[in-house]
């Protein structure tokens, strides 16, 4: 029966509680995280740094050996990207929406406060874990599926269609290795699977309320 499914709002609240709670997350207004980015199939491993400020400023910098540095950012008005092959360019609306979502470190807090049209669809086996499958409104107007571990409430991952240089593609993201950084827990390992390829991001350090406005301006 539908009545037996936990409401999406309850699932979001349980996850938020498991990673530190509303009060702790509401106090975080800026975030700088750094670590490694690896594409195992290509034998590539480099560094990743993300700076973000509420409500929506974000800068992601990735450096891979032999490929140089790629950066993408949103300064509150304009989204841009720059890489060694193509140089700098302005992002389209869908890419901006995706970048803002990636940089929104308080998304769990926002979903718990206002789940919008999210709904729990049922129990689902995701990456070897019993998870509640929750259909969640997504940045580009489509829906994503979020998977919350039945026992812990922690987000195990998500699947959605994402904007890529090759058009919209199905993407699966697996999150794990939650670690405590100054009173809140962050998933330090994220595996992104797209078109049979995997990208592994590992966060090694997180600093809060440390991003500077100037760092996130349009270059």
């Amino acid at each position: 029966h539908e009545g037996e499914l936990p409401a999406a709002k309850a699932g979001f609240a349980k996850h938020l509680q498991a990673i530190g709670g509303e009060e702790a997350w509401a106090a975080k207004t800026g975030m700088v995280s750094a670590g490694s980015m690896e594409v195992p199939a290509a034998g590539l491993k480099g560094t990743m740094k993300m700076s973000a400020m509420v409500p929506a400023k974000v800068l992601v910098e990735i450096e891979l050996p032999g490929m140089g540095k790629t950066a993408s950012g949103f300064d509150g008005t304009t989204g841009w990207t720059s890489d060694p092959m193509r140089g700098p360019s302005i992002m389209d609306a869908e890419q901006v929406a995706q970048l803002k979502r990636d940089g929104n470190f308080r998304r769990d807090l926002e979903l718990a406060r206002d789940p919008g049209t999210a709904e729990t669809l049922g129990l689902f086996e995701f990456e070897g874990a019993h998870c509640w499958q929750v259909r969640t409104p997504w940045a580009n107007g489509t829906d994503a599926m979020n998977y919350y571990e039945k026992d812990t409430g922690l987000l195990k991952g998500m699947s959605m269609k994402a904007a890529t240089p090759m058009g919209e593609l199905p993407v699966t993201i697996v999150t794990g290795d939650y670690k405590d950084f100054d009173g809140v827990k962050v998933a330090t390992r994220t595996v992104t699977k797209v078109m049979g390829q995997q990208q592994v991001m590992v966060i090694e350090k997180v600093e809060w309320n440390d991003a500077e406005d100037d760092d996130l301006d349009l270059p």
Side-chain angles (χ1 to χ4, degrees):
H1 296 293
E2 287 234 45
E4 292 169 11
L5 293 178
K9 189 175 173 73
F12 295 147
K14 184 175 179 179
H15 172 65
L16 185 65
Q17 202 52 48
I19 59 171
E22 179 168 3
E23 203 174 315
W25 276 101
K28 311 292 188 197
T29 57
M31 174 188 192
V32 179
S33 60
S36 65
M37 172 68 81
E38 187 175 3
V39 186
L44 289 173
K45 185 170 184 179
T47 58
M48 174 283 306
K49 181 182 175 188
M50 185 178 88
S51 310
M53 284 179 72
V54 295
K57 288 190 172 186
V58 59
L59 172 65
V60 179
E61 299 164 286
I62 294 168
E63 199 152 352
L64 291 169
M67 295 181 74
K69 184 172 172 178
T70 301
S72 42
F74 179 71
D75 65 358
T77 311
T78 307
W80 58 273
T81 184
S82 173
D83 67 61
M85 303 275 285
R86 290 180 297 235
S89 61
I90 299 294
M91 285 183 164
D92 65 30
E94 193 156 315
Q95 290 171 312
V96 168
Q98 200 160 297
L99 180 67
K100 281 163 73 176
R101 188 211 61 80
D102 289 344
N104 183 4
F105 57 90
R106 298 209 304 185
R107 187 161 178 267
D108 297 315
L109 173 67
E110 291 168 9
L111 281 173
R113 285 175 170 174
D114 177 15
T117 56
E119 62 171 329
T120 306
L121 301 182
L123 273 174
F124 190 87
E125 188 84 13
F126 181 80
E127 297 292 318
H130 283 306
C131 297
W132 291 111
Q133 183 184 41
V134 183
R135 189 168 65 213
T136 310
W138 193 242
N140 58 7
T142 61
D143 288 330
M145 294 297 174
N146 283 20
Y147 299 96
Y148 295 94
E149 286 189 13
K150 186 170 185 277
D151 297 337
T152 65
L154 289 171
L155 180 68
K156 180 78 176 168
M158 51 181 75
S159 57
M160 80 292 293
K161 283 197 164 58
T164 77
M166 290 169 287
E168 270 203 346
L169 293 172
V171 175
T172 300
I173 295 171
V174 185
T175 49
D177 291 356
Y178 283 84
K179 289 181 183 158
D180 193 285
F181 294 95
D182 192 21
V184 296
K185 285 194 170 70
V186 173
T188 60
R189 181 180 167 87
T190 304
V191 180
T192 303
K193 303 177 181 184
V194 58
M195 287 184 74
Q197 293 286 334
Q198 291 196 6
Q199 196 180 51
V200 182
M201 187 178 79
V202 176
I203 292 173
E204 282 143 25
K205 67 172 192 175
V206 175
E207 289 166 348
W208 297 109
N209 306 339
D210 228 31
E212 295 291 329
D213 247 340
D214 298 352
D215 296 344
L216 305 180
D217 287 344
L218 192 68

